[in-house]
């Protein structure tokens, strides 16, 4: 197999859906016995570094997916949270139990919409901010 450059890998990742990328990260972690840094923490720090008022005037390009409530199907919602993030079972359960809480922060509109659909499909109440 030919070795891919960093640019080629990034282009491949850009074509993946959020769920496909999450599954890739899980496989990568299992294959190499490592843990990836939580993308929520990294994405959450980026908006804080920018100018607050200037960003508010522009069209919103980053969204937070906030879990308002788990609904009747709590187990399915926990599974969906684990799929969307790199959280473990306990962390995902704590997030769902502590609703309202952000599941994803600073993601683009498409990723936020897909995450919202997936969580609502599992029975959760979700808002985008």
């Amino acid at each position: 197999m030919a070795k891919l450059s960093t640019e080629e890998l990034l282009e491949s990742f850009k074509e993946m859906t959020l769920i496909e990328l999450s599954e890739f990260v899980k496989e990568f972690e299992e294959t190499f016995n490592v843990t990836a840094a939580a993308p929520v923490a990294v994405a959450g720090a980026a908006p804080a570094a920018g100018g607050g008022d200037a960003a508010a005037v522009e069209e919103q390009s980053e969204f937070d997916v906030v879990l308002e409530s788990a609904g009747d199907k709590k187990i399915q919602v926990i599974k969906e949270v684990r799929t969307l993030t790199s959280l473990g079972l306990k962390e995902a359960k704590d997030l769902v139990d502590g609703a309202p809480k952000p599941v994803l922060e600073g993601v683009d509109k498409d990723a936020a919409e897909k995450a919202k659909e997936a969580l609502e499909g599992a029975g959760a109440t979700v808002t985008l901010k």
Side-chain angles (χ1 to χ4, degrees):
M1 185 167 112
K3 184 176 179 181
L4 298 175
S5 70
T6 303
E7 291 79 24
E8 291 170 328
L9 284 171
L10 288 174
E11 287 302 316
S12 296
F13 292 146
K14 287 179 185 177
E15 294 174 7
M16 292 179 156
T17 65
L18 185 60
I19 292 172
E20 290 171 334
L21 192 55
S22 175
E23 290 170 357
F24 169 78
V25 169
K26 287 178 186 177
E27 285 292 320
F28 185 89
E29 290 174 338
E30 289 173 13
T31 302
F32 295 104
N33 196 23
V34 295
T35 303
V40 174
V42 173
D53 292 336
V57 174
E58 298 173 10
E59 182 179 337
Q60 186 174 357
S61 63
E62 292 185 345
F63 294 84
D64 295 343
V65 180
V66 179
L67 176 69
E68 297 296 332
S69 71
D72 296 336
K73 300 177 183 176
K74 185 174 165 182
I75 293 173
Q76 276 75 8
V77 174
I78 293 170
K79 287 180 181 178
E80 226 24 81
V81 167
R82 290 191 68 205
T83 301
L84 295 169
T85 65
S86 60
L87 296 176
L89 180 60
K90 182 182 182 327
E91 293 83 5
K93 182 182 179 302
D94 291 344
L95 187 146
V96 171
D97 287 341
K101 288 213 173 180
V103 176
L104 298 172
E105 295 178 325
V107 296
D108 66 8
K109 187 174 183 175
D110 291 337
E113 289 292 334
K114 288 178 184 177
K116 181 179 178 186
E117 284 179 30
L119 288 166
E120 287 177 344
T125 305
V126 181
T127 58
L128 299 180
K129 293 187 178 184

